[in-house]
Amino acid sequence: MPRHAANKSSVPGTMDAETEKQERLLRDRITAFLQACIVLAVTGYATFSYQMDAALSDLWNSLKANTIIKWDTCEPFLVFWAFRFTLSFYDLFENFYPRYHLWLIPEAKLSHKRERKTISQCLLYVSHDAFLQLAYYYGPIAIFDFTFPRRKLPDSIPGLGMIALQVVSMLATYDFCFFWCHYFMHKQRTIYRWFHARHHEAGAKYHLNHWGTIALSFGQTWTNLFCSIFTVNSLKFVTGSRYSYHPLARIVYNTVTVIWLIEEHSGYDMPWMTHRLFPFLGFGGPEYHYAHHTRGHGNYQKWFTYLDSLLKTQLKRFDELDHATINTEKAPNETLNLSDKIAS
């Protein structure tokens, strides 16, 4: 476990209370503005649904003729670039926004270390884990798609409201599926060592940040992938192939999934994150997943919290803990404790 002592190297300067208050107010104002935009967008669609659906149909008619959209490896290709741009954003933010540390969640402020990079490094840096993902994931998928071309795009597209509903349905399905895989990996010693221990080195052996999102073993990479493959095909399975999720909804789902995965590992409390925009929907946010990494158990759900609440695997919030004993907190009936994990 990383020592939860104030890390002076991670805090570039002591800010007074007024400065911290200003940054908190700035985040709250951005959140309020975005919430107003969401309300305006929903109201606008309710009022002008016919016109907006027609515009979406015109957009789809243009997109379905695009070479990339017609490509069998379109979705993995777009996932790659979603990872690239989102990881670069966090690199740029913490290297060029002087008060970046005031946007960290409370627990991350104690151990977060900025990796200093130039602009070109922020934009072009590729980690060792990223190269492994190319070998584990993108390579096999591209070869399979080239060998077995099968992508057929529909001529039409449902309304914007239905596309949004499909995206939400896929996000909820993936979250549900991954919870059980994640829970099982933590409960079985051998599975944990072979599949999940590599990912938990972030938070146990070194500090967790956005690049920790892709610190995955081969086994976990494909566990994540199979959960996603099941998710995007789940409607087809349930309806006996009568219905399926629209390709545009799948593209949006994959993009949102990447952004949310990086968010939950980033250690930042950004004003546009879902737990801030929709506080009433039970999103965990980065603080929720950060606790899972630093304490080594609990909070198994990726985005929502209802399954952890139901199975009583939900951890206390950082501000509810006795900080003097945070490193010795134990998981009840946990098969593999933290010392076992580090030793493995």
Side-chain angles (χ1 to χ4, degrees):
M1 289 286 288
R3 294 181 180 178
H4 288 271
N7 190 331
K8 293 183 180 179
S9 63
S10 69
V11 181
T14 303
M15 293 289 182
D16 57 28
E18 184 60 30
T19 303
E20 188 165 358
K21 181 180 178 182
Q22 290 173 3
E23 292 297 307
R24 186 166 56 250
L25 182 61
L26 173 62
R27 288 202 305 276
D28 291 343
R29 285 175 174 173
I30 295 173
T31 299
F33 172 76
L34 293 174
Q35 288 173 326
C37 289
I38 292 170
V39 172
L40 185 63
V42 172
T43 304
Y45 180 69
T47 307
F48 303 104
S49 58
Y50 178 81
Q51 294 88 338
M52 295 177 76
D53 287 345
L56 180 63
S57 180
D58 292 340
L59 174 64
W60 177 244
N61 288 333
S62 299
L63 287 176
K64 68 183 181 181
N66 184 278
T67 303
I68 293 177
I69 300 299
K70 293 192 293 184
W71 184 26
D72 279 86
T73 318
C74 166
E75 290 171 32
F77 174 78
L78 295 177
V79 163
F80 171 82
W81 285 106
F83 268 113
R84 175 70 271 176
F85 287 128
T86 309
L87 290 169
S88 292
F89 166 79
Y90 282 99
D91 278 344
L92 289 166
F93 177 78
E94 68 179 23
N95 275 279
F96 296 98
Y97 187 66
R99 299 176 180 176
Y100 77 92
H101 57 287
L102 295 179
W103 293 50
L104 290 164
I105 61 174
E107 190 168 0
K109 288 179 180 179
L110 302 178
S111 60
H112 187 85
K113 293 182 181 179
R114 175 173 57 174
E115 297 178 1
R116 293 186 177 274
K117 297 174 183 174
T118 64
I119 291 180
S120 60
Q121 287 174 329
C122 290
L123 297 175
L124 302 175
Y125 172 75
V126 179
S127 70
H128 172 72
D129 291 307
F131 281 113
L132 289 179
Q133 291 303 305
L134 289 172
Y136 289 166
Y137 168 49
Y138 297 104
I141 287 289
I143 293 171
F144 182 84
D145 288 341
F146 179 79
T147 307
F148 303 101
R150 63 204 178 279
R151 189 169 175 83
K152 295 180 180 179
L153 299 176
D155 292 328
S156 61
I157 187 171
L160 183 60
M162 181 56 67
I163 290 293
L165 183 61
Q166 289 186 9
V167 173
V168 171
S169 175
M170 283 187 278
L171 291 168
T173 300
Y174 177 79
D175 187 62
F176 180 85
C177 292
F178 184 80
F179 171 86
W180 295 106
C181 294
H182 193 192
Y183 183 81
F184 179 74
M185 285 189 286
H186 274 268
K187 295 301 180 180
Q188 298 297 322
R189 175 183 292 271
T190 302
I191 297 297
Y192 180 90
R193 285 180 170 175
W194 284 96
F195 281 67
H196 200 46
R198 170 72 181 88
H199 187 57
H200 265 275
E201 289 178 1
K205 291 185 177 180
Y206 54 86
H207 74 280
L208 176 66
N209 69 2
H210 47 284
W211 283 97
T213 309
I214 57 174
L216 304 171
S217 68
F218 176 84
Q220 182 161 356
T221 296
W222 279 87
T223 299
N224 294 356
L225 180 60
F226 280 124
C227 285
S228 198
I229 290 173
F230 172 81
T231 293
V232 298
N233 290 286
S234 58
L235 185 59
K236 187 186 299 184
F237 297 150
V238 170
T239 63
S241 298
R242 292 185 62 188
Y243 301 100
S244 60
Y245 289 120
H246 194 275
L248 186 60
R250 289 173 51 151
I251 289 171
V252 175
Y253 153 76
N254 279 299
T255 303
V256 172
T257 296
V258 169
I259 294 171
W260 284 7
L261 286 173
I262 296 174
E263 281 183 357
E264 71 176 7
H265 292 88
S266 68
Y268 284 99
D269 184 19
M270 295 300 194
W272 52 80
M273 290 180 173
T274 48
H275 70 287
R276 293 179 63 92
L277 293 176
F278 308 103
F280 49 86
L281 290 182
F283 286 100
E287 187 173 354
Y288 193 82
H289 195 68
Y290 201 94
H292 171 74
H293 272 264
T294 57
R295 293 175 232 173
H297 63 88
N299 289 7
Y300 298 116
Q301 213 163 351
K302 272 190 181 293
W303 301 316
F304 297 102
T305 60
Y306 67 93
L307 288 172
D308 279 309
S309 179
L310 185 65
L311 271 67
K312 301 191 184 304
T313 54
Q314 196 166 11
L315 299 173
K316 291 182 179 180
R317 290 172 54 89
F318 180 71
D319 56 10
E320 297 173 341
L321 290 170
D322 177 0
H323 295 174
T325 60
I326 185 172
N327 289 337
T328 61
E329 184 189 15
K330 300 296 182 182
N333 302 318
E334 189 76 33
T335 301
L336 192 67
N337 64 36
L338 188 59
S339 60
D340 291 331
K341 296 172 185 178
I342 294 177
S344 68

